[in-house]
Amino acid sequence: MKPKVGLIGLGLMGLPMGRNLLKAGFPLTVWNRTRSKAEQLEKEGAKVADSPRKVAAASDVTFTIVSDPPALEQVLWGEPGALAGLRKGSVLIDSSTVSPVLARRVAQACAERGADFLDAPVTGGTWGAEKGELVFMVGGKKEVLDRVGPVLEAVGKRFFLLGPNGAGQTVKLAMNLILALEVEALAEGLELVTRAGVAGERLIEVLQSSMGRAPVLDVKAPVILKRDFTPSFPLRLMLKDVGLAMDLAKENGIELPAGTAAHRAYSAVKAAAKTDVDYAAIANYWQKT
Ligand SMILES: NC(=O)c1ccc[n+]([C@@H]2O[C@H](COP(=O)([O-])OP(=O)(O)OC[C@H]3O[C@@H](n4cnc5c(N)ncnc54)[C@H](OP(=O)(O)O)[C@@H]3O)[C@@H](O)[C@H]2O)c1
């Protein structure tokens, strides 16, 4: 019999993950702070619970995928939070991007309740979530990852076990720091050539034939040239991730000079943005200058 799955958080990522779990035939119970998003999945066969606690109580495997550390603390420890409902022998998988310290605190809280925990943040974006092709960066025990393998395969295509709890989040923060810097560098290059009188498209043509090419730049260059910043990965979340990476650097006693500069630049764009925008909107940095 298929394990019962729970899913807490139905944002840009959680909603398509839920659809793929249903398509794969897992009995699914969901909760979202804004209930209307959960009702979309109810039409497709999910049960909607009244609280995160009831999701956990109904599930053998419970996913959380919410915005940031305060949101995760709220759905786990808030009243009525998921930790209080966790079944003995069940597995909690957190796919939000949060700090490694918080991941280890959650692992401890799960262990106290006789449950297992994987920190399992993802990469692949909304496209990967829709296709069921997310890449998971996992911290935890191999035996637990093996146990939930069939469930993860409904939403992902690659699973990297990176070490004990916290290791998944550590690698995820480094990954997103790199992506933030790549897109920031692209925006700088485009602004530079444009101001100097050469069309941005010409830089992109050359970039495509150079070592500077990168898949993220293939995706974000057209977005910047069209200036269509409809959020796919919202800038507010990228700023959160760069901030978490900077905190991790501090905890480990190192300075990240480019990360510090990128954090300042993304913060300035977020402060000036009037709507939710994609992180490619870092290209708006020079709008007022
Ligand atoms: N989008 C991407 O491309 C992408 C890629 C990789 C990883 N991620 C990571 O995945 C996570 C989710 O991202 P997303 O794009 O799905 O974000 P999103 O669309 O902004 O959704 C955020 C989710 O968190 C919930 N939430 C926020 N604050 C909450 C609180 N205080 N209590 C309870 N629920 C709360 C939201 O509920 P409401 O619906 O009520 O607002 C929503 O379900 C983030 O950690 C992000 O960094 C995102």
Side-chain angles (χ1 to χ4, degrees):
M1 214 169 69
K2 287 202 179 241
K4 292 184 178 132
V5 179
L7 175 58
I8 295 166
L10 300 171
L12 288 168
M13 298 294 282
L15 199 59
M17 286 169 75
R19 288 209 167 98
N20 286 324
L21 288 163
L22 286 170
K23 265 191 234 155
F26 290 102
L28 184 67
T29 307
V30 299
W31 179 88
N32 192 62
R33 180 180 61 177
T34 307
R35 195 183 166 97
S36 54
K37 293 185 195 167
E39 284 163 359
Q40 290 183 47
L41 279 189
E42 193 172 28
K43 289 183 200 130
E44 296 168 40
K47 282 193 193 135
V48 179
D50 293 341
S51 67
R53 184 173 62 75
K54 286 190 180 165
V55 172
S59 307
D60 303 306
V61 178
T62 303
F63 284 94
T64 46
I65 179 152
V66 292
S67 314
D68 51 18
L72 184 64
E73 288 177 338
Q74 180 62 35
V75 300
L76 292 180
W77 282 280
E79 191 47 50
L83 283 171
L86 269 188
R87 293 184 188 175
K88 260 200 178 125
S90 71
V91 181
L92 178 68
I93 303 174
D94 177 45
S95 290
S96 324
T97 306
V98 298
S99 64
V101 170
L102 178 54
R104 289 192 283 270
R105 257 182 69 210
V106 179
Q108 178 64 33
C110 287
E112 283 162 12
R113 288 159 180 83
D116 285 299
F117 176 67
L118 298 175
D119 48 298
V122 292
T123 188
T126 48
W127 185 88
E130 280 154 22
K131 291 257 178 203
E133 293 186 358
L134 290 169
V135 174
F136 283 78
M137 290 153 273
V138 183
K141 294 190 190 118
K142 182 174 183 312
E143 164 271 310
V144 180
L145 179 59
D146 289 344
R147 197 147 36 100
V148 296
V151 179
L152 284 177
E153 274 160 21
V155 287
K157 67 170 178 187
R158 295 201 70 183
F159 312 95
F160 292 93
L161 182 60
L162 300 161
N165 285 127
Q169 295 293 356
T170 298
V171 172
K172 171 67 188 177
L173 294 182
M175 273 280 314
N176 269 21
L177 177 64
I178 294 167
L179 287 175
L181 292 173
E182 284 181 318
V183 174
E184 211 268 340
L186 172 70
E188 289 198 13
L190 279 171
E191 191 68 17
L192 184 63
V193 296
T194 312
R195 294 283 179 119
V198 177
E201 284 82 355
R202 303 313 308 271
L203 169 65
I204 301 306
E205 276 169 33
V206 178
L207 188 65
Q208 296 292 5
S209 310
S210 82
M211 293 288 280
R213 217 188 132 247
V216 68
L217 305 187
D218 293 347
V219 174
K220 297 302 182 187
V223 165
I224 295 177
L225 290 172
K226 275 190 257 152
R227 306 200 84 74
D228 174 3
F229 299 125
T230 309
S232 170
F233 183 46
L235 187 140
R236 64 185 155 82
L237 294 180
M238 182 55 103
L239 177 61
K240 175 254 312 180
D241 294 352
V242 176
L244 290 170
M246 302 313 291
D247 292 345
L248 186 60
K250 209 165 160 193
E251 281 161 40
N252 286 280
I254 53 163
E255 194 213 338
L256 302 177
T260 304
H263 190 262
R264 201 177 326 116
Y266 280 100
S267 298
V269 174
K270 178 167 179 279
K274 294 192 175 58
T275 55
D276 204 17
V277 287
D278 191 77
Y279 76 104
I282 187 66
N284 281 344
Y285 180 80
W286 298 271
Q287 222 167 36
K288 291 195 193 121
T289 58

